[in-house]
């Protein structure tokens, strides 16, 4: 009896949000999670994100969409910008789960060159399915590795949040 493939997604939440936003669209996280499951057979999707209490509704929404949130304490840089510093946690979880044989292949979602060594490791172990770049400015450190690379913007029509038009009192849609 053939066992079902089990793939995990490791998502840099800040990089995902920033990359899509810079391209001028909003990601529908429910659709995105379903797409990961359908396209790459992702059973667990780990979303690494800085924890800021005022965003608890967002965290609930992401969990309801099917993501497993991995929180990091945030720090602030010199001008008050939030830093989640999730890179090390993502790498550690991807590598430790590989050695624990929890997944068959990894899907990395980030454009950040800081993950180049992780990508190289997973490629050498034949455990990398694809890198999904949220930005069209994917780091050269990732692009040069001769790996499957998908730019998320190519999936925009499937993954973009659709704005529902409100219905007027007479039942017709408003412009």
């Amino acid at each position: 009896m053939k066992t079902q493939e089990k793939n995990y997604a490791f998502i840099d939440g800040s990089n995902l949000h920033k990359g899509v936003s810079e391209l001028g669209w909003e990601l529908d996280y429910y659709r995105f999670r379903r797409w990961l499951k359908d396209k790459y057979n992702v059973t667990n999707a780990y979303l690494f994100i800085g924890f800021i209490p005022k965003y608890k509704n967002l965290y609930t929404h992401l969990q309801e969409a099917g993501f497993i949130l991995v929180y990091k304490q945030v720090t602030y840089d010199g001008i008050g910008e939030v830093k989640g510093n999730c890179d090390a946690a993502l790498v550690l979880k991807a590598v430790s789960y590989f050695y624990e044989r929890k997944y068959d292949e990894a899907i990395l979602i980030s454009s950040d060159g800081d993950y180049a060594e992780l990508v190289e490791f997973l490629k050498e172990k034949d455990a990398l399915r694809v890198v999904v770049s949220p930005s069209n400015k994917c780091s050269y450190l990732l692009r040069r590795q001769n790996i499957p690379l998908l730019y998320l913007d190519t999936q925009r029509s499937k993954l973009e949040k659709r704005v529902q038009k409100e219905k007027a009192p007479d039942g017709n849609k408003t412009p």
Side-chain angles (χ1 to χ4, degrees), residues 90-110:
L90 188 153
V91 170
L92 183 60
K93 189 166 288 286
V95 171
S96 65
Y97 280 7
F98 169 79
Y99 280 115
E100 293 171 9
R101 301 187 194 297
K102 291 192 175 192
Y103 63 87
D104 297 314
E105 291 182 309
I107 292 81
L108 173 65
I109 300 162
S110 182

Side-chain angles (χ1 to χ4, degrees), residues 15 19 109-113 115 131-139 142:
N15 192 271
I109 300 162
S110 182
S111 304
D112 191 338
Y115 297 112
V131 172
V132 177
S133 175
S135 169
N136 288 344
K137 300 174 188 166
C138 186
S139 171
L142 295 174

Side-chain angles (χ1 to χ4, degrees), residues 14 18 52 73-85:
S14 176
K18 184 179 176 187
I52 301 173
Q73 185 175 359
V74 298
T75 58
Y76 296 89
D77 66 12
I79 58 171
E81 293 286 320
V82 174
K83 291 288 293 167
N85 298 319

Side-chain angles (χ1 to χ4, degrees), residues 45-158:
Y46 294 94
L47 188 104
F48 294 79
I49 191 166
F51 182 77
I52 301 173
K54 71 179 180 179
Y55 293 126
K56 68 180 181 181
N57 291 338
L58 169 65
Y59 305 144
T60 300
H61 173 77
L62 293 169
Q63 289 171 326
E64 288 172 349
F67 294 93
I68 300 165
L69 301 186
V70 181
Y71 297 110
K72 290 298 293 173
Q73 185 175 359
V74 298
T75 58
Y76 296 89
D77 66 12
I79 58 171
E81 293 286 320
V82 174
K83 291 288 293 167
N85 298 319
C86 293
D87 298 5
L90 188 153
V91 170
L92 183 60
K93 189 166 288 286
V95 171
S96 65
Y97 280 7
F98 169 79
Y99 280 115
E100 293 171 9
R101 301 187 194 297
K102 291 192 175 192
Y103 63 87
D104 297 314
E105 291 182 309
I107 292 81
L108 173 65
I109 300 162
S110 182
S111 304
D112 191 338
D114 288 346
Y115 297 112
E117 286 83 5
L118 173 63
V119 167
E120 187 175 327
F121 169 82
L122 292 169
K123 181 181 168 187
E124 287 173 3
K125 301 296 186 187
D126 199 27
L128 178 69
R129 178 74 174 265
V130 66
V131 172
V132 177
S133 175
S135 169
N136 288 344
K137 300 174 188 166
C138 186
S139 171
Y140 174 73
L141 296 172
L142 295 174
R143 288 184 288 123
R144 73 177 183 172
Q145 293 199 42
N146 192 26
I147 54 168
L149 178 62
L150 176 88
Y151 288 94
L152 197 58
D153 206 36
T154 64
Q155 306 299 305
R156 181 175 179 169
S157 64
K158 297 175 189 171

